Amino acid sequence: MNCFCLTVAGEEMFNSLSLLQCETLCLRRYLKTSHKLYSATYDPNEKTFEKLLIANRGEIACRVIKTCKKMGIKTVAIHSDVDANAVHVKMADEAVCVGPAPTSKSYLNMDAIMEVIKETRAQAVHPGYGFLSENKEFARRLAAEGVTFIGPDTHAIQAMGDKIESKLLAKNAKVNTIPGFDGVVKDADEAVRIAREIGYPVMIKASAGGGGKGMRIAWDDEETREGFRFSSQEAASSFGDDRLLIEKFIDNPRHIEIQVLADKHGNALWLNERECSIQRRNQKVVEEAPSTFLDPETRRAMGEQAVALAKAVKYSSAGTVEFLVDSSKNFYFLEMNTRLQVEHPVTECITGLDLVQEMIRVAKGYPLRHKQADIPINGWAVECRVYAEDPYKSFGLPSIGKLSQYQEPLHVPSVRVDSGIQQGSDISIYYDPMISKLITYGSNRAEALKRMEEALDNYVIRGVTHNISLLREVIIHPRFVRGDISTKFLPEVYPDGFKGHKLTDLERRELLATAASLYVAEQLRSQRFLGTPRIPIAKSKRSSWELSVHLGDGIYPVAVSKDGSSFSVEVDGMKLNVTSEWNLASPLLSVTIDGTQRTIQRLSRNASGSTSIQFLGTVYKLQILTKVAAELSKYMPEKAAEDTSSILRSPMPGAVVAVSVKPGDMVSEGQEICVIEAMKMQNSMIAAKTGKLQVVGSE
């Protein structure tokens, strides 16, 4: 047996232990001696499957493949034509194209996927999350062909995947539920009637939905009608099911979920909770385990209700029961996800379990290896979802492009990165804009957050707009640090939208000093060629520079003098000592400013002195000029800003799915012009002012 116990306990002790005792000891020893993010107990003699197909793409496909390799299982990847060179395709033992880019013709194409299963003779299918992971028809077709679905049976998928049926079952299982309408909402008029009966605000949500898609909050009749329209359209597009339900919206709650694990022998465990309250548009952004809010009694009550619900539907596999928790620690069942969650790594960190391995074992028919008493909370884990998004627009509107440079911060201790991309990968309009899941682990929350801060500073992503600035600001915000959070955290903390990091006076001086030192270091380097002066007879002995640095609305005089590898920089009458190795070819630059270490990234520069520097997570644009150049620059004409008040441009790339007007129409300010679908979400584009529509088309 390839078991960690053998190395820590010795062969004599190992032989005296039962398999379960050994594995339990292994888990506990593993947690004490290692902060790795997968269980060390892979038994090559425990037979599962010879070949497994992953019916998914991106990071979750790569995640499943990693565990399969450790378990000795061969893997088959499926892909669309635009994903032919994707990382998950390269990692798998085999890969087959299942259609063109649109998900309906590829990753949701059951006929094509079933053909691949037959061709490759895959014995099992892991669906990941999203796509077909909670599709009972897919599970049924696999069962009919004798192929194992790595997940629960069709009964549990149908019961828990349907929000209406799951709510009724939860009530019967004595699980706390949210007040609402338990039937299917037929049309907008009925939606308004139901919403009035429940009382505003209400949540309109797709019955078969998840991931924030097909969900809208309505505060009045008009928003209910609009929410019904958009939610039904998104639900049909994402899940092929446009049924909706309505329930009371609990204002200012926490979103806390319980990870459950159950086998086919009636055993079920709860693997503690995950705090998932930091959200935008009902989609999670930052998660952690455990939660700062729960006490042992509440945690146990939530866990026991989650297990009761799992047992009520004879659930087997890994699953998640989601709850809304109010300020008094009253908790209400939200939904059950009958699949692996995006945020499962934080649970793996604090328990030492590999949930993908456990899912595969359960699917093969093995009983669970652990008892409830064996499940620890060891340390703290935080996950940030790194997206190709512009966080300055509605906390994250999708961005597309090619990753021209990409470097994960794996050199930072206790960091895990689950990704499905690499340098050169494309982020397209067809799929979710997630770049990766960045996870850090610590013996306590403060340590995990400090490592996350360092990891975000050391994450190199070029070619697409990303949300690292928002993630970094969230994890260092005083409210987040003290655990004072809810699902309304982002709009409450940033009521006027996210603006980036607001520099203190000291941080502003640090940035100015760093930028000026970087400028001088580059000037000195440009005077040398292969380590020697370009013109040996004209050696420069210059040791001081007077500069003018433009940052935001301010222009700052900065004096720099060189002292060995360090620079003494005077800003605002204060002197700062700036030290670095000044490796200008590296995407990351470690700088020490008066004893404080900072990791910065210079993203761009040009001959006019303009440069962009990522500092404390936020990108700042500066212009650095010599004193003479700065005096002359005032004579340079400024380019007039383009007047776009009469043009409606989509703030994100996407597909136009509906146009509500035609040329010649009179439109009013706030009137819908068209609907853009981007990364599976529908967005209404409205007129910025009243006027006559002249042209409808693309530039």
Side-chain angles (χ1 to χ4, degrees):
M1 178 179 178
N2 180 19
C3 180
F4 191 64
C5 289
L6 187 57
T7 63
V8 296
E11 186 172 359
E12 182 177 352
M13 180 178 177
F14 170 75
N15 290 334
S16 68
L17 298 173
S18 70
L19 177 61
L20 179 58
Q21 289 173 322
C22 176
E23 289 169 338
T24 301
L25 174 62
C26 174
L27 174 62
R28 290 172 176 165
R29 296 273 191 169
Y30 168 76
L31 288 169
K32 291 179 180 178
T33 58
S34 173
H35 286 163
K36 292 187 182 298
L37 306 172
Y38 298 101
S39 169
T41 57
Y42 296 97
D43 181 3
N45 297 315
E46 185 179 78
K47 299 303 179 184
T48 54
F49 304 100
E50 294 181 5
K51 185 182 290 188
L52 183 149
L53 180 141
I54 300 102
N56 218 297
R57 65 179 298 279
E59 66 86 11
I60 189 59
C62 296
R63 163 71 187 90
V64 174
I65 292 171
K66 287 177 183 177
T67 287
C68 286
K69 287 183 180 295
K70 293 176 181 178
M71 296 179 71
I73 302 171
K74 292 183 178 180
T75 55
V76 180
I78 60 169
H79 64 88
S80 65
D81 52 8
V82 298
D83 273 346
N85 295 315
V87 175
H88 77 281
V89 172
K90 298 175 181 178
M91 286 181 63
D93 297 293
E94 302 175 57
V96 182
C97 182
V98 289
T103 55
S104 61
K105 298 179 180 179
S106 52
Y107 296 104
L108 291 174
N109 188 343
M110 280 190 268
D111 291 337
I113 295 172
M114 294 303 298
E115 280 299 314
V116 174
I117 293 170
K118 291 178 182 178
E119 291 173 9
T120 59
R121 297 183 179 180
Q123 300 166 314
V125 172
H126 197 298
Y129 54 76
F131 293 138
L132 298 172
S133 62
E134 294 176 289
N135 189 299
K136 63 181 181 296
E137 175 63 18
F138 184 55
R140 186 196 63 76
R141 290 184 63 172
L142 290 173
E145 296 293 331
V147 178
T148 302
F149 180 74
I150 309 295
D153 61 25
T154 54
H155 166 70
I157 294 174
Q158 178 172 344
M160 292 293 98
D162 187 307
K163 290 181 173 61
I164 297 171
E165 186 176 351
S166 66
K167 188 174 179 180
L168 294 172
L169 284 165
K171 282 183 178 180
N172 293 333
K174 308 301 182 185
V175 178
N176 304 342
T177 58
I178 302 171
F181 179 69
D182 296 329
V184 178
V185 184
K186 297 175 183 177
D187 53 38
D189 289 337
E190 185 177 38
V192 169
R193 179 182 61 78
I194 294 168
R196 288 175 177 174
E197 291 176 358
I198 296 172
Y200 288 110
V202 297
M203 173 71 83
I204 303 168
K205 57 204 298 188
S207 177
K213 298 176 181 64
M215 296 177 67
R216 290 289 191 284
I217 300 169
W219 295 80
D220 54 39
D221 292 355
E222 183 180 349
E223 289 185 0
T224 299
R225 292 183 184 279
E226 184 179 81
F228 180 88
R229 178 163 69 99
F230 283 126
S231 291
S232 59
Q233 288 172 356
E234 285 179 3
S237 174
S238 297
F239 314 112
D241 185 343
D242 64 356
R243 293 176 303 140
L244 302 177
L245 67 132
I246 299 178
E247 61 190 20
K248 180 69 176 177
F249 176 66
I250 299 176
D251 200 14
N252 215 37
R254 287 174 178 260
H255 185 138
I256 300 177
E257 59 192 29
I258 300 291
Q259 175 73 58
V260 295
L261 181 64
D263 61 25
K264 299 178 186 297
H265 305 276
N267 304 305
L269 307 171
W270 48 275
L271 309 181
N272 304 310
E273 80 279 5
R274 294 186 287 258
E275 173 74 71
C276 307
S277 297
I278 307 300
Q279 303 180 1
R280 50 98 178 96
R281 298 190 299 279
N282 300 310
Q283 289 184 313
K284 302 161 190 171
V285 180
V286 178
E287 302 101 348
E288 59 183 311
S291 169
T292 61
F293 189 61
L294 296 191
D295 53 62
E297 291 74 22
T298 307
R299 175 180 295 116
R300 184 182 307 107
M302 293 175 69
E304 289 174 352
Q305 285 198 18
V307 166
L309 180 59
K311 288 185 174 182
V313 291
K314 296 182 173 58
Y315 193 85
S316 62
S317 193
T320 300
V321 181
E322 300 190 349
F323 294 94
L324 293 181
V325 186
D326 67 18
S327 58
S328 300
K329 297 183 181 176
N330 298 308
F331 57 90
Y332 304 94
F333 171 72
L334 181 63
E335 63 182 352
M336 182 175 186
N337 292 299
T338 57
R339 53 170 168 80
L340 197 64
Q341 287 283 89
V342 176
E343 57 274 16
H344 76 274
V346 292
T347 296
E348 293 184 325
C349 287
I350 67 167
T351 62
L353 296 175
D354 180 338
L355 291 180
V356 173
Q357 179 195 16
E358 298 301 329
M359 293 177 76
I360 293 172
R361 292 186 72 258
V362 167
K364 188 61 177 177
Y366 291 107
L368 298 182
R369 299 180 292 173
H370 310 293
K371 302 296 183 183
Q372 189 64 57
D374 300 327
I375 305 302
I377 296 180
N378 187 282
W380 211 284
V382 179
E383 173 178 295
C384 285
R385 298 193 189 188
V386 182
Y387 283 106
E389 290 181 338
D390 185 348
Y392 299 94
K393 298 177 180 178
S394 301
F395 300 113
L397 290 184
S399 168
I400 62 171
K402 184 184 289 290
L403 288 165
S404 57
Q405 196 167 8
Y406 183 74
Q407 183 176 309
E408 296 174 347
L410 295 174
H411 60 285
V412 178
S414 298
V415 167
R416 165 176 167 178
V417 183
D418 281 17
S419 67
I421 47 88
Q422 60 186 1
Q423 188 164 303
S425 292
D426 287 307
I427 306 295
S428 74
I429 66 171
Y430 298 107
Y431 311 115
D432 189 275
M434 182 184 287
I435 293 174
S436 73
K437 300 180 312 197
L438 178 64
I439 305 103
T440 57
Y441 176 86
S443 58
N444 53 51
R445 188 170 187 259
E447 187 176 287
L449 289 176
K450 188 63 180 176
R451 284 175 176 161
M452 179 60 74
E453 186 180 338
E454 184 180 358
L456 289 167
D457 284 341
N458 283 269
Y459 207 147
V460 178
I461 304 171
R462 310 281 170 83
V464 297
T465 305
H466 55 75
N467 68 333
I468 280 181
S469 56
L470 174 63
L471 296 171
R472 196 183 190 282
E473 285 304 293
V474 167
I475 66 163
I476 66 170
H477 194 279
R479 269 190 59 179
F480 182 86
V481 172
R482 65 176 180 262
D484 178 16
I485 61 177
S486 74
T487 55
K488 296 176 67 175
F489 178 89
L490 290 179
E492 286 179 350
V493 171
Y494 309 106
D496 300 320
F498 179 66
K499 307 296 183 183
H501 181 73
K502 185 177 181 180
L503 295 168
T504 64
D505 288 342
L506 175 59
E507 291 168 346
R508 175 179 53 80
R509 288 192 290 269
E510 288 181 349
L511 175 57
L512 292 170
T514 301
S517 300
L518 190 58
Y519 173 86
V520 171
E522 193 146 53
Q523 294 299 309
L524 293 173
R525 187 184 69 166
S526 67
Q527 297 173 10
R528 306 184 69 82
F529 181 71
L530 294 179
T532 60
R534 288 178 180 272
I535 308 176
I537 61 173
K539 292 184 178 180
S540 173
K541 294 185 179 181
R542 185 177 181 183
S543 60
S544 63
W545 294 260
E546 290 188 6
L547 304 174
S548 176
V549 184
H550 190 170
L551 171 63
D553 297 328
I555 298 177
Y556 306 90
V558 179
V560 183
S561 58
K562 189 175 186 301
D563 181 16
S565 61
S566 300
F567 293 101
S568 178
V569 186
E570 184 174 340
V571 184
D572 294 341
M574 299 183 64
K575 285 192 175 182
L576 294 87
N577 183 263
V578 183
T579 306
S580 176
E581 293 182 358
W582 306 111
N583 180 4
L584 304 180
S586 173
L588 296 171
L589 192 64
S590 179
V591 180
T592 302
I593 311 158
D594 280 353
T596 300
Q597 190 276 331
R598 304 286 192 193
T599 299
I600 69 166
Q601 299 183 38
R602 186 177 60 176
L603 306 182
S604 67
R605 66 182 179 90
N606 60 29
S608 68
S610 295
T611 185
S612 295
I613 294 176
Q614 183 173 311
F615 178 75
L616 301 176
T618 294
V619 177
Y620 297 93
K621 295 182 179 180
L622 307 94
Q623 187 177 37
I624 307 171
L625 300 173
T626 63
K627 186 176 181 180
V628 173
E631 292 173 352
L632 295 174
S633 66
K634 61 186 177 183
Y635 299 106
M636 298 293 290
E638 293 187 9
K639 183 179 179 181
E642 180 186 6
D643 181 9
T644 60
S645 61
S646 298
I647 302 172
L648 177 64
R649 288 177 175 163
S650 174
M652 84 290 283
V656 178
V657 296
V659 177
S660 308
V661 294
K662 62 182 184 300
D665 285 355
M666 290 297 298
V667 297
S668 302
E669 181 180 349
Q671 181 179 338
E672 180 179 290
I673 303 298
C674 64
V675 176
I676 303 291
E677 184 172 271
M679 274 79 169
K680 303 180 184 178
M681 299 291 284
Q682 296 200 352
N683 306 272
S684 177
M685 303 291 106
I686 61 174
K689 65 180 184 179
T690 299
K692 186 176 182 179
L693 199 66
Q694 293 182 334
V695 179
V696 178
S698 57
E699 296 183 358

